[in-house]
Amino acid sequence: MKKTHLFVLSALFLLFTSSLDAGTIVIDGQYQDKNIYVQNSVASSGVGFCTYEVRVNGQTTNDEINSSAFEIDLTQRQLKFGDKVTIEIRYKDGCSPKVLNPEAVKPKPTFELISMSITPDGLLKWTTKGEQGSLPYIVEQFRWNKWVRVGEVDGKGTPGQHEYSFNVSLHSGENQFRVKQVGFTSSPKVSAAVKIVSSSPKLDYALNKNNKITFTDATMYEIYDYYGTIVKKGYGKDIDVSTLLKGGYYLCYDNQVTEFKKK
């Protein structure tokens, strides 16, 4: 009799815990002096609310979650600005809460450019201050009448002064470079451009009978079809175009844009 009673209690406990552990919303970010707001729903059973537990960096919070909307108060967690934050919102089966402002723990681009320079051999260096969260610096080069992404450097993410560098490839003639950061929802923050004139000779190319494009020296390149779809890109001295369909294409290389026809 006692064994039967224990079995029933165990089955009920497993049923209860399995109905609770239906899903978890995980938000990773960095503390930005802001709290998280959650829209809660009624549990599918009609009794109580959907969310049953909230954890911040592995610790259960004492936030009042038994309501149609609640706040995850991060100010009580003794966090410093920029500290890593992992929020887990655990909810029951048959329902799902909604996080209203997940961007509250996502850093925004706030850097100020102090200086930027580039050496003749292609070492781009820049100094910044005022970062309020770790975001990558995207390095861009002005090529083919547009800004092209050529690399990425992780930002330090703290307000002090920081120095960065990145090796770039120079094309013939005038070169322009800049850096930018992109936040979760905010507009990108873009630096002023730095310019340098390269002494490298202007490149040329030839399309041979073996369906290979050969440049006079290694270069960054892109090939587009007439619909504007990129079909090949890379860096090198040769491009195998044998797999391309017959027709016309735009070839971007060095600092030039030209056309060729695949026969």
Side-chain angles (χ1 to χ4, degrees), residues 70-178:
F70 63 88
E71 178 183 9
I72 302 175
D73 189 357
L74 298 178
T75 62
Q76 298 182 1
R77 313 310 299 180
Q78 297 182 336
L79 296 166
K80 295 179 181 179
F81 193 96
D83 281 353
K84 179 177 174 56
V85 174
T86 298
I87 300 169
E88 299 171 76
I89 303 171
R90 301 186 175 187
Y91 57 91
K92 302 172 187 176
D93 192 20
C95 62
S96 179
K98 180 181 180 181
V99 180
L100 299 178
N101 61 333
E103 73 281 358
V105 292
K106 303 297 182 181
K108 295 180 180 180
T110 58
F111 74 91
E112 297 177 46
L113 185 69
I114 297 174
S115 65
M116 178 179 281
S117 63
I118 186 168
T119 63
D121 58 351
L123 181 62
L124 180 67
K125 297 187 288 187
W126 66 99
T127 303
T128 66
K129 66 176 183 179
E131 298 176 34
Q132 294 187 1
S134 182
L135 288 170
Y137 282 97
I138 299 169
V139 182
E140 295 183 321
Q141 182 179 25
F142 193 73
R143 282 179 180 257
W144 315 314
N145 299 316
K146 64 180 181 179
W147 286 101
V148 178
R149 178 179 180 148
V150 295
E152 186 176 293
V153 176
D154 289 336
K156 300 293 195 307
T158 54
Q161 185 170 309
H162 304 294
E163 296 181 352
Y164 302 94
S165 64
F166 185 80
N167 284 299
V168 296
S169 297
L170 302 179
H171 57 63
S172 63
E174 183 181 84
N175 290 256
Q176 294 187 61
F177 295 92
R178 71 182 188 182

Side-chain angles (χ1 to χ4, degrees), residues 225-259:
D225 63 20
Y226 277 174
Y227 299 100
T229 303
I230 189 166
V231 293
K232 280 186 178 292
K233 65 183 298 184
Y235 181 89
K237 195 172 180 179
D238 302 294
I239 313 174
D240 181 5
V241 295
S242 60
T243 57
L244 298 182
L245 299 175
K246 293 181 179 180
Y249 294 89
Y250 295 103
L251 172 64
C252 303
Y253 71 101
D254 193 30
N255 64 349
Q256 304 173 62
V257 179
T258 187
E259 296 181 54

